[in-house]
Amino acid sequence: MKITVIGTGYVGLVSGTCLAEVGNDVLCLDLDAEKIRILNSGGIPIHEPGLLDMATRNRAAGRLRFTTDVAEAVKHGLLQFIAVGTPPGEDGSADLQYVVAAARSIGRYMDGYKVVVDKSTVPVGTADRVRAAIGEELQARGLKTEFSVVSNPEFLKEGAAVEDFMRPDRIVVGADDARAVDAMRQLYAPFQRSHERFIAMDVRSAELTKYAANAMLATRISFMNELANLAEKLGADIELVRQGIGSDPRIGYQFLYPGCGYGGSCFPKDVQALIRTSHDAGGELVVLRAVEEANEAQKRVLGRKIVRHFGDSLSGRRFALWGLAFKPNTDDMREAPSRAVIADLLSRGAEIAAYDPVAMDEAKRIFGTEKRVSFAESPSAALDGADALVIVTEWKEFRSPDFDEIKRRLKAPLIFDGRNLYDPAQMRAAGIRYHAIGRL
């Protein structure tokens, strides 16, 4: 099938590349000329495991191309995927200006039937706005060309997005006409050969499904973080509690790991947008407001633990910080807990030596002018002369370090662990003072 993907950000680039991988003819459009230059020269502007190799392979095969030419892109695909950004506005609502602009471009240049697919995470009712924008452009041209608008939300985890797209848990498609549903079934047939994953529904239900999924996952995380904080006060071990409740099949083990808060481009933005959507509809999502408040507070937990140990002033103190990305296998630092931890430490006069396997360039962009933040070439190098080690992201390479080396390089054997990577009993046996989240 001929497919156009508008937007070569995270969702657009992963979707376009994976659709090309199964044989489709994909043309990706972006108005950012520098981004298209990078893509056409063999690079990719994001870090995602497996994506570069897949993009290179399909680019060489001629199935994946990139352009800034709007007319060419609209003409190309029967399916027009809108995968542009929807950044949060000041009131928490999703900013749909790029979605509407993409829709207008389609209406301005389409010359035959198109299936317009909202792939971006958008509020309920966005399909109506997309349909209206296209209709206005067609009317201005004096045309009555048929088109369909479909909601096809993405469920991609950063760090595992290629795997998630190629082997999806579910394929949610919201559409109001059989012709569009049939086109989407044909498109996704290669991704569900073993069993049916295609869930067809009305457009508004599909739009709400995406927000509901991320809000539920964020709720589980904040719930466990709240329990972990309570466990500390009660002298209980949250890891044992996690095992006890996770063994219940109605609950399960996923997303029950306490830590120093969630971040990234999805959970914070989508929770805020759903809260705003409810407010605009005359309702109030009390639970989600609590989820958001709990998460913002949880990002400050490590800072509070450090102050409790060293005192209010951290002037003259130096901290090794392992992990800058909001989660492993990505360089994304949007809303990352590390930013809150660094801000807390800097505000009290501390210096920081940070290390992350892939997010160093992004961190330098964010903190490049801050003289008290330095960047180490390795986890070990960050430790030299530090008063303590602070762990913020659970990268695999941090799971089994040389604890004797940590003790040698630090001024004192002291670890503040925001991801509960180590066993407290083993840390005590190794002579390391260990402060985790909700552990005994």
Side-chain angles (χ1 to χ4, degrees):
M1 298 180 75
K2 289 189 174 183
I3 300 166
T4 294
V5 179
I6 303 174
T8 59
Y10 189 85
V11 173
L13 186 56
V14 171
S15 299
T17 302
C18 291
L19 289 169
E21 177 73 1
V22 297
N24 293 296
D25 181 1
V26 180
L27 180 60
C28 294
L29 167 71
D30 204 294
L31 300 184
D32 186 335
E34 176 60 18
K35 188 181 292 186
I36 294 300
R37 186 196 65 77
I38 292 171
L39 290 164
N40 281 329
S41 64
I44 58 174
I46 61 174
H47 176 87
E48 181 61 39
L51 183 60
L52 177 58
D53 289 344
M54 186 179 287
T56 300
R57 181 167 62 250
N58 284 281
R59 189 189 298 110
R63 293 189 298 266
L64 181 63
R65 294 177 293 120
F66 305 96
T67 185
T68 58
D69 189 327
V70 177
E72 177 192 11
V74 173
K75 182 179 180 180
H76 174 78
L78 165 66
L79 295 168
Q80 300 275 316
F81 278 80
I82 298 178
V84 296
T86 55
E90 292 184 3
D91 61 355
S93 63
D95 185 347
L96 297 179
Q97 64 172 311
Y98 303 113
V99 172
V100 173
R104 290 196 177 281
S105 294
I106 294 170
R108 198 170 294 131
Y109 293 104
M110 62 186 286
D111 56 4
Y113 176 74
K114 301 289 184 182
V115 178
V116 180
V117 184
D118 285 336
K119 197 67 175 172
S120 302
T121 300
V122 294
V124 175
T126 299
D128 295 336
R129 294 186 61 178
V130 167
R131 187 178 293 108
I134 295 173
E136 289 171 5
E137 293 296 329
L138 288 174
Q139 185 177 22
R141 296 169 60 197
L143 300 177
K144 294 184 179 180
T145 308
E146 291 186 354
F147 65 95
S148 301
V149 178
V150 170
S151 175
N152 175 218
E154 53 86 13
F155 299 97
L156 307 177
K157 299 186 297 291
E158 288 195 45
V162 171
E163 178 70 15
D164 287 346
F165 198 104
M166 298 302 293
R167 295 176 177 82
D169 296 319
R170 74 283 208 198
I171 300 165
V172 173
V173 172
D176 297 327
D177 63 272
R179 186 177 181 183
V181 172
D182 288 344
M184 297 299 286
R185 283 191 184 277
Q186 180 182 344
L187 175 70
Y188 282 113
F191 300 95
Q192 49 176 347
R193 291 173 63 85
S194 62
H195 65 276
E196 179 75 12
R197 297 177 173 89
F198 194 96
I199 305 173
M201 58 183 71
D202 63 277
V203 173
R204 286 184 169 241
S205 295
E207 290 172 333
L208 182 56
T209 295
K210 169 61 178 181
Y211 277 129
N214 279 353
M216 174 61 77
L217 296 175
T219 299
R220 286 172 68 98
I221 294 171
S222 281
F223 176 75
M224 284 304 292
N225 286 338
E226 294 263 82
L227 278 188
N229 297 338
L230 178 60
E232 287 188 8
K233 292 180 170 62
L234 299 178
D237 190 330
I238 194 61
E239 172 58 20
L240 300 178
V241 175
R242 184 190 70 82
Q243 295 175 24
I245 64 176
S247 60
D248 186 332
R250 296 170 300 175
I251 299 173
Y253 292 102
Q254 290 187 322
F255 283 82
L256 290 185
Y257 290 93
C260 52
Y262 62 76
S265 63
C266 293
F267 286 6
K269 175 174 70 71
D270 293 352
V271 167
Q272 290 175 8
L274 191 52
I275 290 171
R276 184 66 194 185
T277 296
S278 175
H279 176 78
D280 291 345
E284 191 71 25
L285 295 178
V286 178
V287 171
L288 279 192
R289 285 200 180 277
V291 166
E292 184 181 35
E293 292 174 7
N295 187 61
E296 289 306 305
Q298 197 68 16
K299 291 180 180 181
R300 307 292 176 178
V301 163
L302 283 178
R304 290 199 298 270
K305 288 178 179 288
I306 292 168
V307 168
R308 194 176 304 131
H309 180 87
F310 288 103
D312 288 338
S313 176
L314 299 177
S315 294
R317 300 287 184 182
R318 181 180 176 87
F319 295 92
L321 189 141
W322 285 3
L324 293 162
F326 85 93
K327 63 180 289 188
N329 297 320
T330 180
D331 60 352
D332 195 341
M333 288 184 61
R334 286 174 287 185
E335 303 288 339
S338 64
R339 299 177 71 158
V341 174
I342 290 172
D344 285 347
L345 299 182
L346 290 177
S347 70
R348 296 178 181 274
E351 296 181 4
I352 296 162
Y355 171 79
D356 188 285
V358 303
M360 298 285 267
D361 288 342
E362 179 65 9
K364 289 174 182 177
R365 185 187 68 80
I366 296 170
F367 297 107
T369 60
E370 177 51 66
K371 295 181 180 179
R372 286 181 289 141
V373 177
S374 61
F375 300 96
E377 295 183 356
S378 68
S380 297
L383 299 170
D384 288 335
D387 292 276
L389 168 61
V390 183
I391 301 173
V392 186
T393 312
E394 63 275 30
W395 285 95
K396 287 182 179 179
E397 66 182 82
F398 301 157
R399 292 182 183 179
S400 185
D402 184 335
F403 291 109
D404 288 334
E405 182 182 27
I406 290 176
K407 291 170 65 176
R408 285 195 307 270
R409 288 177 176 260
L410 290 175
K411 287 183 179 179
L414 177 61
I415 297 177
F416 295 90
D417 185 356
R419 298 301 176 187
N420 290 357
L421 294 185
Y422 313 130
D423 182 88
Q426 293 179 357
M427 293 297 95
R428 287 192 290 271
I432 296 174
R433 296 194 64 177
Y434 182 63
H435 299 271
I437 310 291
R439 302 299 310 274
L440 287 177

